[in-house]
């Protein structure tokens, strides 16, 4: 009996130790889980954009893009959005419009700092557009020769956030600080903002987001050579546009340089 009692006590002691170990393990797991959850929350908070459309506004923007530029199914979703969440809508080529239309969706959530004297004539919110040839490698985002138009769109979208300034038609932007080309497959180094053209050749008017005057403009990015940028800065937007009367709005990396001597 003593032996049996000893075994029972041994089992009881082992069970107690096992239970104690399980309890300790559970506590450690719970603590780790709590820390991980908190870390995930902090990481999530860090990536939540400062400026974003409401769900209803986003639906309106998406529907407006389809009405103005064409139906789409693909969107380049942005993975990290510290300020604005700038996705890029891909409107595919059609028989009527045999080229890609890329439109930002999210830039207009940020209200630009428009000078008081211009507020009645310039929208304080904007999305940006660029047209690419139908044979452009849209999915080759790991190659700068394919990616630079998308990078140009995102640069335009974030420039006003970074500088607390504004962009509108007639404005030009040099992409790299040193004026170097945007990629090895072209000599473009800048862009000018023009009125955006829709699927039926119409000028895309601003989208009215609310009854209280909240509007989003759509601006077309037209890439420039260094000499064309210089010409624009010296002679103005109107004279520059006169040079492009017969030029397509679709990006052509080897198009004629209208200001090269």
């Amino acid at each position: 009996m003593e032996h049996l009692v000893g075994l029972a006590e041994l089992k009881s002691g082992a069970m107690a130790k096992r239970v104690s170990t399980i309890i300790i393990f559970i506590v450690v797991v719970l603590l780790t889980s709590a820390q991980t959850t908190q870390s995930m929350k902090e990481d999530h908070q860090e990536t939540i954009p400062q400026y974003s459309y409401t769900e209803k506004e986003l639906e309106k923007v998406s529907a407006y893009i389809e009405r103005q530029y064409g139906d789409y199914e693909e969107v380049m979703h942005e993975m990290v959005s510290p300020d604005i969440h700038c996705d890029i809508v891909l409107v595919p080529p059609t028989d009527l419009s045999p080229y890609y239309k890329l439109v930002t969706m999210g830039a207009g959530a940020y209200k630009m700092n428009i000078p008081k004297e211009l507020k009645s004539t310039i929208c304080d919110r904007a999305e940006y557009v660029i047209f690419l040839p139908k044979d452009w490698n849209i999915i080759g985002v790991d190659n700068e020769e394919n990616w630079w138009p998308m990078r140009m769109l995102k640069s335009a979208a974030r420039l006003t956030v970074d500088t607390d300034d504004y962009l509108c038609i007639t404005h030009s932007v040099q992409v790299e600080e040193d004026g170097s080309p945007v990629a090895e497959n072209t000599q473009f180094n800048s862009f000018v903002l023009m009125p955006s053209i829709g699927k039926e050749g119409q000028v895309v008017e601003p989208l009215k987001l609310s009854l209280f005057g909240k509007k989003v403009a759509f601006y077309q990015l037209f890439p420039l050579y260094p000499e064309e940028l210089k010409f624009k800065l010296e002679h103005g937007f109107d004279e520059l546009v006169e040079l492009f009367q017969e030029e397509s709005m679709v990006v052509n990396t080897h198009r004629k340089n209208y200001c090269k001597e």
Side-chain angles (χ1 to χ4, degrees):
M1 291 294 295
E2 291 180 1
H3 182 63
L4 292 176
V5 170
L7 282 175
E9 290 174 349
L10 183 62
K11 289 180 181 179
S12 176
M15 182 63 70
K17 288 182 180 179
R18 186 181 174 191
V19 170
S20 175
T21 303
I22 291 173
I23 290 172
I24 291 171
F25 176 73
I26 291 172
V27 170
V28 171
V29 169
L30 288 173
L31 286 173
T32 304
S33 177
Q35 291 171 353
T36 302
T37 302
Q38 181 62 30
S39 176
M40 287 172 66
K41 286 181 178 178
E42 289 174 356
D43 290 344
H44 182 61
Q45 288 173 352
E46 289 176 0
T47 58
I48 292 176
Q50 292 177 272
Y51 313 98
S52 58
Y53 287 127
T54 65
E55 188 174 342
K56 283 189 175 181
E57 288 175 340
L58 191 60
E59 288 175 359
K60 284 186 178 181
V61 173
S62 175
Y64 193 71
I65 289 173
E66 289 201 322
R67 287 202 304 273
Q68 298 296 324
Y69 299 100
D71 296 338
Y72 70 90
E73 294 182 356
E74 294 186 68
V75 178
M76 288 185 175
H77 290 286
E78 191 168 66
M79 302 306 293
V80 179
S81 305
D83 38 37
I84 56 173
H85 184 78
C86 186
D87 292 335
I88 298 178
V89 170
L90 303 179
V91 179
T94 64
D95 292 338
L96 184 62
S97 305
Y99 48 85
Y100 284 102
K101 305 179 193 77
L102 277 62
V103 188
T104 63
M105 188 165 61
Y110 174 72
K111 184 177 180 179
M112 296 185 287
N113 186 15
I114 306 291
K116 186 180 295 186
E117 64 274 15
L118 298 177
K119 285 187 176 181
S120 62
T121 57
I122 296 176
C123 280
D124 54 15
R125 301 172 188 274
E127 299 291 352
Y128 303 91
V129 185
I130 198 166
F131 294 164
L132 297 179
K134 63 181 179 180
D135 59 353
W136 195 276
N137 186 2
I138 295 293
I139 62 174
V141 296
D142 58 341
N143 186 327
E144 190 63 23
E145 292 187 1
N146 300 319
W147 173 249
W148 68 261
M150 289 70 110
R151 182 165 66 91
M152 195 176 274
L153 286 173
K154 288 179 178 285
S155 295
R158 287 197 157 84
L159 182 62
T160 57
V161 183
D162 296 337
T163 61
D164 192 29
D165 208 334
Y166 72 102
L167 285 175
C168 68
I169 294 168
T170 77
H171 283 183
S172 53
V173 177
Q174 181 175 284
V175 178
E176 302 294 344
E177 189 174 347
D178 62 0
S180 59
V182 293
E184 292 184 2
N185 64 334
T186 185
Q187 290 301 304
F188 295 142
N189 78 330
S190 53
F191 62 85
V192 64
L193 293 179
M194 295 187 174
S196 187
I197 305 301
K199 62 183 179 182
E200 296 177 359
Q202 80 280 13
V203 173
V204 178
E205 299 294 336
L207 163 65
K208 190 173 183 179
L209 271 184
S210 73
L211 297 175
F212 307 102
K214 192 174 184 179
K215 295 181 179 180
V216 180
F218 288 77
Y219 298 141
Q220 190 96 18
L221 272 62
F222 188 81
L224 300 176
Y225 291 110
E227 296 82 1
E228 293 170 343
L229 175 63
K230 182 181 178 182
F231 179 90
K232 187 262 181 181
L233 296 176
E234 292 176 351
H235 300 278
F237 175 79
D238 290 339
E239 288 196 36
L240 176 70
V241 173
E242 284 294 322
L243 301 177
F244 301 141
Q245 288 300 310
E246 298 181 3
E247 194 63 48
S248 169
M249 295 293 279
V250 180
V251 169
N252 176 357
T253 55
H254 302 295
R255 71 164 173 81
K256 174 183 174 181
N257 185 335
Y258 288 86
C259 297
K260 192 169 184 179
E261 296 178 358

